[in-house]
Amino acid sequence: MTRRLTDRTGEVRELTDEDIERMRPMDEVLPANLKRAIGQRGAQRTPTKVKTSIRLSRDVIDHFKQDGDGWQRRIDQALKQYIREHGSD
């Protein structure tokens, strides 16, 4: 007989080697819609960005970071706006 993984309060006990051996792959136990939602990225919707390293002044970085997460995206948007306004020449 197998032991429950949780006690009455819902606390999970430490897994044993037997527990690990009885585990089955996610593909065998989860429905398809849940498998898609766990750990799998969808199709890339925008063109892939290029990873690069660039030196910017501290005041530029501070300005974009002051609004929190997404600061690199905001710099990207600002540079795209500059290109639209000044051309790509």
Side-chain angles (χ1 to χ4, degrees):
M1 181 171 174
T2 61
R3 285 177 46 207
R4 291 181 51 92
L5 293 178
T6 58
D7 62 19
R8 287 187 295 272
T9 65
E11 185 71 24
V12 178
R13 66 173 170 78
E14 186 173 330
L15 295 176
T16 65
D17 288 339
E18 282 182 37
D19 294 326
I20 304 291
E21 288 174 17
R22 282 195 323 273
M23 289 184 178
R24 298 188 345 235
M26 178 178 74
D27 288 346
E28 292 179 12
V29 296
L30 294 178
N33 62 338
L34 185 55
K35 285 188 282 191
R36 278 193 301 274
I38 298 176
Q40 296 178 2
R41 284 184 65 177
Q44 185 82 15
R45 294 192 179 135
T46 59
T48 302
K49 294 181 179 179
V50 176
K51 184 174 182 171
T52 186
S53 176
I54 136 182
R55 291 178 180 269
L56 300 171
S57 59
R58 171 57 49 198
D59 56 333
V60 170
I61 297 296
D62 290 344
H63 171 80
F64 284 95
K65 279 188 167 183
Q66 73 185 359
D67 291 329
D69 290 344
W71 62 274
Q72 292 171 323
R73 178 183 42 79
R74 288 190 296 277
I75 291 174
D76 185 60
Q77 290 170 337
L79 292 171
K80 286 178 182 178
Q81 181 178 346
Y82 180 89
I83 291 170
R84 282 192 303 275
E85 293 174 1
H86 297 89
S88 58
D89 297 337

